[in-house]
């Protein structure tokens, strides 16, 4: 006989709360993105009492959850809370993406098996499972928080399928001109995926290097066989780092005095030429001949290092090297990767692995996004609160200054990806590792927006010293008028109050100086800091409107008006950076702060030798794509970072099961990344956010928004970006970056012939053929290298074509050569696909792609049996 207890404030103990956490069923379903236009979508949460021990009643309990869209935006966040009367439940916005769901007095008790459905509306739309966050948890006063087991784990099984057009589409509403904005995207069916995977036959690949060298000639004749007893590495004295690197990879002696039958000679030459042109530092030549040695020649050690990477890339499994001659130099001096470790922390070992792969493919800039609203990830001597408070996420009262809130599904405890930081010694180890691989580390401390973690940390410091009666120290690094942001009610794009540093406080600039100088010290003796990136993006200017400090600044006439505060902050912060002898880095909207005129801050207001601007806002119909050229024309150095082609936080397919955001484009697969043309930005203009193709003359018809490029020398390179709001694990990080980063490496190093083609049809034909070649290289060689390096690259599911004439099914993979498996018993056993298979009338066919080493697989897709 079961004895039921009532779960309420009077009788609750920890064991009962634990039981509810273990048994409470939670399901979340998106119902309709379309009916309310672009304003809101409808969804519901269902709670089911699966406990055999107790009834859930009204009481002082609450569920905390993270939700990327504002819930009930007609009411929140400006109202304290919003009730859902039919469910007897109440939503409260806490801060950022954290919401509280609690019962009202109308809540009806839930006995075993009872359910309550909680319908609500949320801002904009939601079309992917990864929009939802795991690790919902229960709170009862005086008891330990408890995770709701049904919401834990990365399979997100509590999120119901997006199985209707209303759930997987974003747009269907009328515009003022009488047209309709309609979402053209649907999840791929098997035939559509098969067609997308098809690419022209590439022919025999021969010897390949990624990124593609400027010139490579493979010679006829026997290959060279490298063995440890017959080969030694000889190197000039200045090349000790490169010699040891190659020695560790090949297991060869690197003693110049050792006699051997053959040698790999690493040599410097100040007179080196590449195709009759003077070599740059990163240029190299590689010569492999059967009757002599292997020679790598370069002007500087970095060129030798890249020659070493090419040599490693052409050595086969049996240690043979084809005879060849390579003359090579990079297209751009800036070839980068950006990694956000603030939203979710990724430990040092994962960063070092990323640096290894970057070095393999000749990428030379690591843009390290160390701070954001959701976390401060770098120890700063003298400001310990930044890691004591800003590097931790867990359940606390909002007024508590001991940590940040448990944002982005990090849960109530301090043992998840929400918590973590790099000590000074960790950071210096990363610098050393990067320096050995000729990778420049560019630290980013995001200011003045995206600064919630910093603001809360400095508030904690203020409280600590005020408790010690030391007002001067308390206010030394304060970043905001106390409580002003909360009272004013402003919120950032990510729904944060307390998000923007105050430009009217002198302590803000003292904080900036402290950070810049301490980071600069960390670089000393390893890799002298060259550039400091201050962020500058997505600032909610309205946060400053009620600030006494900002009003005093305007009254003093040092700043003309409220709309000039951002430029004031940017130029003052840039002065701090310049006084340290550093170049400035900033996102596009940090240098173009006013979207009403889209004019950059005048370049002469910056005292640094160079200002690097990262152009990311290019949704084609937004009118912002031309800012990249406008910045270059105004003498800023521009790093192409466009969201439509280079933001790796977007999904590989327009499928609800694929991880990723979709603000810049609905999907970004490897092919789209590969075909990006950084020298011809407007030629990349393809579709609207809806997927509707843009006319060939779209740019011409909107010429006012799209400046011509007059100073191409100011386009200095390109980089891939990974923001990690949705990336909580190592494998997820790898999957979002790879293999897309190899496509960035290819485009940043090598200018393809088809990029110069002015005829669009011919250019697209060239793209298709070149992609076929590159995809085959990935499938036949490079993905296996990533396997050996422990990289969990993304695996697209297979495509399938059913021939009714042949009664056969043909399967294909995105990267030819990846193993494909099928199952006729719902995944119990799997058979490797080697040839067309017979059609099956009475069974579903389950399909997966596996990694080259067959240790991982893609998500499953199903070829349904024919309906009778």
């Amino acid at each position: 006989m079961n004895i039921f207890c009532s779960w309420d404030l009077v009788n609750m103990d920890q064991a009962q709360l634990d039981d509810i956490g273990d048994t409470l069923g939670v399901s979340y379903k998106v119902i309709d993105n379309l009916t309310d236009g672009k304003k809101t979508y409808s969804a519901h949460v269902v709670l089911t009492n699966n406990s055999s021990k107790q009834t859930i009643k009204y009481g002082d309990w609450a569920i905390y959850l993270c939700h990327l869209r504002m819930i009930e935006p007609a009411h929140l966040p400006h109202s304290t809370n919003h009730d859902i009367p039919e469910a007897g439940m109440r939503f409260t916005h806490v801060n950022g993406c954290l919401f509280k769901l609690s019962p009202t007095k109308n809540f009806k008790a839930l006995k075993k098996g009872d359910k309550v459905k909680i319908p609500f509306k949320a801002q904009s739309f939601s079309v992917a499972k990864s929009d939802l966050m795991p690790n919902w948890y229960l709170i009862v006063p005086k008891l330990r928080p408890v995770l709701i087991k049904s919401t834990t784990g990365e399979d997100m099984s509590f999120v119901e399928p997006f199985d209707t057009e209303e759930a997987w589409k974003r747009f269907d509403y009328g515009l003022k001109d009488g047209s309709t904005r309609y979402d053209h995207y649907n999840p791929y069916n098997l035939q559509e995926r098969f067609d997308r995977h098809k690419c022209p036959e590439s022919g025999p690949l021969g010897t390949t290097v990624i990124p593609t060298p400027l010139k490579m000639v493979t010679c006829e004749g026997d290959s060279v066989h490298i063995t440890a007893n017959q080969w030694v590495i000889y190197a000039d004295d200045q090349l000790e780092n490169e010699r040891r690197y190659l020695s560790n990879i090949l297991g060869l002696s690197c003693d110049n005095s050792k006699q051997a039958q053959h040698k790999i000679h690493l040599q410097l030459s100040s007179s080196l030429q590449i195709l009759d042109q003077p070599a740059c530092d990163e240029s190299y030549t590689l010569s492999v001949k059967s009757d002599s040695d292997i020679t790598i020649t370069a002007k500087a050690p970095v060129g030798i290092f890249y020659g070493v990477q090419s040599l490693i890339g052409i050595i086969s499994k049996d240690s043979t090297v084809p005879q060849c001659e390579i003359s090579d130099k990079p297209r751009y001096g800036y070839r980068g990767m950006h990694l956000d470790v603030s939203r979710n922390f990724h430990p040092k070992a994962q960063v070092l692995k990323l640096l290894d792969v970057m070095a393999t493919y000749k990428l030379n800039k690591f843009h390290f996004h160390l701070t954001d609203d959701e976390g401060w990830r770098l120890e700063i001597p003298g400001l310990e609160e930044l890691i004591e408070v800003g590097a931790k996420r867990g359940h606390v009262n909002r007024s508590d200054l001991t940590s940040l809130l448990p944002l982005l599904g990090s849960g109530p405890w301090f043992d998840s990806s929400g918590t973590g930081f790099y000590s000074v010694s960790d950071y210096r180890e990363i610098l050393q590792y990067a320096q050995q691989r000729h990778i420049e580390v560019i630290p980013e401390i995001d200011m003045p927006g995206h600064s919630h973690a910093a603001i809360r940390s400095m508030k904690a410091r203020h409280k600590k010293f005020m408790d010690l009666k030391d007002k001067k120290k308390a206010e030394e690094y304060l970043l905001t008028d106390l409580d002003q942001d909360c009272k004013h009610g402003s919120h950032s794009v990510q729904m944060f109050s307390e998000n923007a540093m105050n430009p009217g406080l002198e302590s803000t600039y003292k904080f900036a100086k402290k950070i810049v100088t301490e980071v600069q010290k960390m670089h000393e003796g390893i890799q002298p800091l060259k550039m400091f990136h201050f962020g500058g993006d997505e600032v909610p200017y309205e946060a400053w409107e009620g600030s006494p400090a900002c009003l005093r600044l305007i009254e003093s006439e040092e700043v003309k008006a409220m709309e000039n505060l951002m430029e004031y902050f940017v130029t003052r912060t840039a002065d701090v950076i310049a006084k340290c002898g550093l170049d400035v880095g900033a996102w596009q909207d940090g240098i173009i702060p006013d979207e009403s005129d889209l004019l950059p801050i005048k370049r002469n207001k910056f005292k640094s030798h160079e200002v690097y601007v990262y152009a990311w806002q290019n949704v084609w119909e937004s009118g912002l794509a031309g800012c990249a050229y406008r910045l270059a024309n105004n003498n800023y150095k521009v790093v192409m970072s466009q969201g439509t082609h280079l933001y790796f936080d977007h999904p590989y397919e327009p499928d609800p099961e694929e991880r990723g955001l979709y603000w810049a484009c609905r999907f970004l697969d490897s092919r789209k990344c590969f075909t990006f043309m950084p020298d011809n930005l407007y030629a990349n203009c393809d579709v609207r956010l809806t997927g509707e193709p843009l006319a060939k003359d779209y740019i011409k018809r909107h010429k006012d928004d799209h400046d011509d490029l007059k100073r191409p020398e100011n386009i200095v390179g390109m980089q891939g970006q990974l923001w990690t709001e949705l990336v909580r694990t190592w494998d997820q990080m790898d999957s979002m970056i790879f293999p897309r980063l190899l496509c960035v490496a290819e485009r940043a190093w090598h200018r393809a012939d088809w990029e110069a083609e002015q005829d669009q049809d011919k250019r697209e034909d060239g793209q298709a053929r070149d992609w076929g070649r590159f995809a085959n290289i990935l499938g036949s060689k490079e993905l296996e290298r990533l396997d050996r390096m422990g990289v969990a690259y993304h695996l697209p599911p297979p495509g399938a074509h059913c021939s009714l004439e042949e009664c056969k099914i043909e399967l294909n993979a995105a990267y030819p050569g990846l193993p494909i498996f099928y199952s006729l018993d719902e995944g119990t056993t799997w058979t490797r696909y080697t040839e067309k298979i017979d059609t099956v009338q009475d069974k579903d066919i389950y399909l997966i792609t596996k990694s080259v080493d067959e240790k991982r697989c893609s998500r499953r897709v199903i070829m349904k049996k024919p309906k009778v």
Side-chain angles (χ1 to χ4, degrees), residues 7 24-28 44-47 59-67 71-72 76 81-85 87-94 97-104 107 116-120 136-140 148:
W7 186 37
L24 183 66
V26 175
S27 68
Y28 180 106
H44 67 233
V45 170
V46 176
L47 305 179
D60 193 4
W61 57 269
I63 294 171
Y64 282 77
L65 63 140
C66 285
H67 200 268
I71 293 174
E72 293 293 344
L76 302 177
N81 48 56
H82 180 70
D83 291 355
I84 310 296
M89 297 294 287
R90 170 178 296 154
F91 281 108
T92 304
H93 178 237
V94 183
C97 66
L98 189 65
F99 290 82
K100 174 183 174 183
L101 181 59
S102 57
T104 68
F107 181 79
V116 58
K117 181 185 290 186
I118 308 162
F120 63 94
W136 299 20
Y137 63 95
L138 291 159
I139 289 293
V140 169
I148 300 174

Side-chain angles (χ1 to χ4, degrees), residues 385-499:
E385 298 82 5
L386 289 169
I387 57 173
E388 292 171 354
V389 176
K392 298 191 303 182
R393 295 209 301 257
H395 182 79
V396 292
N397 293 324
R398 180 171 176 173
S399 59
D400 193 324
L401 292 172
T402 58
S403 78
L404 303 183
L405 295 169
L407 303 160
L408 298 175
S410 54
W413 308 115
F414 300 101
D415 58 357
S416 70
S417 59
T419 295
F421 68 94
Y422 307 105
S423 66
V424 171
S425 63
D426 288 335
Y427 186 73
R428 284 176 64 82
E429 184 179 340
I430 290 169
L431 289 176
Q432 185 68 52
Y433 204 81
Q435 180 67 13
Q436 291 168 351
R437 288 153 181 77
H438 296 278
I439 296 171
E440 179 187 350
V441 176
I442 301 168
E444 180 188 347
I445 305 296
D446 209 347
M447 302 182 283
H450 289 284
S451 295
H452 178 74
I455 290 168
R456 297 292 287 178
S457 299
M458 292 302 96
K459 277 193 171 184
R461 187 179 191 277
H462 177 271
K463 181 180 184 303
K464 177 175 73 175
F465 284 107
M466 287 300 288
D467 289 346
L468 296 172
K469 313 298 184 189
D470 191 339
K471 188 172 186 289
K472 183 178 179 181
K473 272 201 167 185
E475 296 179 349
E476 187 176 15
Y477 297 111
L478 202 59
L479 297 175
T480 186
D481 289 329
L482 292 178
D483 298 326
Q484 184 269 323
D485 280 339
C486 294
K487 289 178 180 177
H488 189 66
S490 66
H491 286 79
S492 70
V493 173
Q494 288 81 16
M495 304 182 292
F496 280 96
S497 62
E498 291 188 306
N499 160 272

Side-chain angles (χ1 to χ4, degrees), residues 482-732:
L482 292 178
D483 298 326
Q484 184 269 323
D485 280 339
C486 294
K487 289 178 180 177
H488 189 66
S490 66
H491 286 79
S492 70
V493 173
Q494 288 81 16
M495 304 182 292
F496 280 96
S497 62
E498 291 188 306
N499 160 272
M501 296 180 182
N502 193 309
L505 296 173
E506 281 302 310
S507 51
T508 293
Y509 305 103
K510 189 169 185 179
F511 176 85
K513 182 178 179 181
K514 172 69 172 174
I515 299 303
V516 174
T517 54
E518 290 295 338
V519 173
Q520 190 171 29
K521 287 178 188 176
M522 293 181 208
H523 281 249
E524 289 175 358
I526 301 175
Q527 185 184 84
L529 185 62
K530 298 177 182 177
M531 185 204 307
F532 186 91
H533 197 300
F534 75 86
D537 60 313
E538 295 184 326
V539 181
Y541 302 146
E542 64 273 15
W544 301 329
E545 289 177 1
S547 162
C550 290
L551 291 173
R552 285 194 297 271
L553 200 60
I554 294 168
E555 289 169 1
S556 72
E557 298 185 355
E558 189 171 355
V559 175
K560 291 182 180 179
M562 196 66 66
E563 55 266 28
N564 302 117
L565 284 170
M566 179 62 180
E567 181 173 334
Y568 176 81
F569 173 88
V570 168
T571 53
R572 281 206 60 180
T573 302
D575 284 349
V576 170
I577 297 169
K579 286 177 182 177
C580 293
L582 303 173
D583 290 335
V584 171
W587 294 105
Q588 170 180 331
D589 38 338
I591 305 301
I592 303 180
D594 187 351
E595 287 195 7
S596 65
D597 61 17
L598 295 180
L599 294 177
I601 298 171
K602 291 182 179 179
R603 177 62 181 85
N604 61 14
K605 291 190 175 184
F606 294 88
K607 298 171 184 176
S608 292
H609 178 64
E610 298 292 0
V611 179
Y612 291 81
V613 186
Y614 295 68
W616 63 283
Q617 296 169 301
N618 78 306
V619 174
W620 301 113
E621 60 266 42
S622 71
L624 298 175
C627 292
Y629 285 174
R630 189 167 301 169
L631 286 159
N633 293 340
N634 281 272
N635 280 330
Y636 290 97
K637 301 300 182 185
V638 176
V639 179
M640 304 300 258
S641 311
Q642 280 72 17
T644 56
H645 288 73
L646 300 171
Y647 262 50
F648 296 166
D649 54 342
H650 285 53
Y652 284 83
E653 288 188 11
D655 192 296
E657 295 295 319
E658 290 280 339
R659 183 176 306 279
L661 301 171
Y662 36 83
W663 65 266
C665 55
R666 182 60 187 90
F667 75 98
L668 171 56
D669 59 13
S670 297
R671 181 172 183 166
K672 184 174 181 180
C673 187
F674 175 83
T675 56
F676 180 63
M677 294 167 278
D679 284 349
N680 190 3
L681 178 60
Y682 302 146
N684 298 290
C685 181
D686 50 3
V687 296
R688 298 180 185 273
L689 272 175
T690 61
E692 177 189 355
L694 286 164
K696 292 182 180 181
D697 64 345
Y698 178 83
I699 298 296
K700 289 182 179 179
R701 289 189 289 107
H702 296 82
K703 196 61 182 173
D704 290 346
D705 297 330
H706 300 91
D707 298 18
D708 292 331
L709 179 60
K710 298 174 183 177
R711 299 192 173 181
E713 68 276 11
N714 286 331
I715 305 296
V716 297
M718 58 186 286
Q719 75 174 18
Q721 280 74 219
L722 179 63
W723 303 96
T724 60
E725 292 99 323
L726 312 183
V727 180
R728 294 174 287 273
T729 72
W730 290 27
D731 282 2
Q732 289 169 2

Side-chain angles (χ1 to χ4, degrees), residues 7-9 11-18 60-61 138-146 395 413:
W7 186 37
D8 58 26
L9 182 60
N11 299 317
M12 179 55 54
D13 61 26
Q14 191 65 54
Q16 289 174 309
L17 184 60
D18 289 346
D60 193 4
W61 57 269
L138 291 159
I139 289 293
V140 169
K142 299 182 181 180
L143 297 182
R144 171 177 46 80
V146 171
H395 182 79
W413 308 115

Side-chain angles (χ1 to χ4, degrees), residues 205-223:
L205 292 174
T207 302
T208 60
V209 174
I210 296 297
T212 303
L214 182 65
K215 182 179 181 182
M216 179 174 179
V217 178
T218 303
C219 309
E220 295 182 0
D222 296 334
S223 296

Side-chain angles (χ1 to χ4, degrees), residues 23 25 189 232 237 311 363 371 405 425 506 666 699 702 737:
T23 59
N189 60 39
V232 67
D237 292 342
L311 173 61
L363 293 162
T371 71
L405 295 169
S425 63
E506 281 302 310
R666 182 60 187 90
I699 298 296
H702 296 82
I737 294 174

Side-chain angles (χ1 to χ4, degrees), residues 156-286:
M156 304 296 289
S157 57
F158 72 98
V159 182
E160 299 282 337
F162 292 68
D163 50 7
T164 66
E165 286 197 354
E166 289 78 11
W168 73 61
K169 286 184 180 291
R170 299 161 294 165
F171 315 115
D172 188 8
Y173 57 88
L175 300 173
K176 291 180 180 179
D177 63 3
S179 63
T180 298
R181 194 181 193 210
Y182 177 72
D183 194 334
H184 291 252
Y185 290 111
N186 295 298
Y188 297 152
N189 60 39
L190 289 165
Q191 180 64 55
E192 288 169 334
R193 189 178 294 109
F194 182 89
D195 293 340
R196 289 191 67 84
H197 287 177
K198 282 195 303 185
C199 47
E201 293 291 333
S202 62
L205 292 174
T207 302
T208 60
V209 174
I210 296 297
T212 303
L214 182 65
K215 182 179 181 182
M216 179 174 179
V217 178
T218 303
C219 309
E220 295 182 0
D222 296 334
S223 296
V224 175
H225 189 231
I226 299 176
T227 57
N229 62 338
Q230 293 183 325
W231 285 78
V232 67
I233 302 170
Y234 280 23
D236 293 358
D237 292 342
Q238 305 97 306
L239 301 174
E240 183 64 20
N241 176 67
E242 291 66 38
R243 173 167 55 183
R244 292 197 177 278
Y245 182 92
L246 183 58
S247 174
N248 290 336
I249 297 290
L250 300 184
L252 301 182
S253 170
C254 57
D255 184 353
N256 278 3
S257 64
K258 183 176 179 179
Q259 296 299 312
Q261 186 175 349
H262 299 288
K263 64 178 180 289
I264 300 174
H265 193 179
L266 312 181
Q267 63 183 20
L268 296 174
S269 171
S270 60
S271 60
L272 179 68
Q273 291 201 328
I274 303 295
L275 303 187
D276 299 323
Q277 296 293 322
C280 66
D281 284 354
E282 294 184 308
S283 306
Y284 69 91
T285 61
L286 169 61

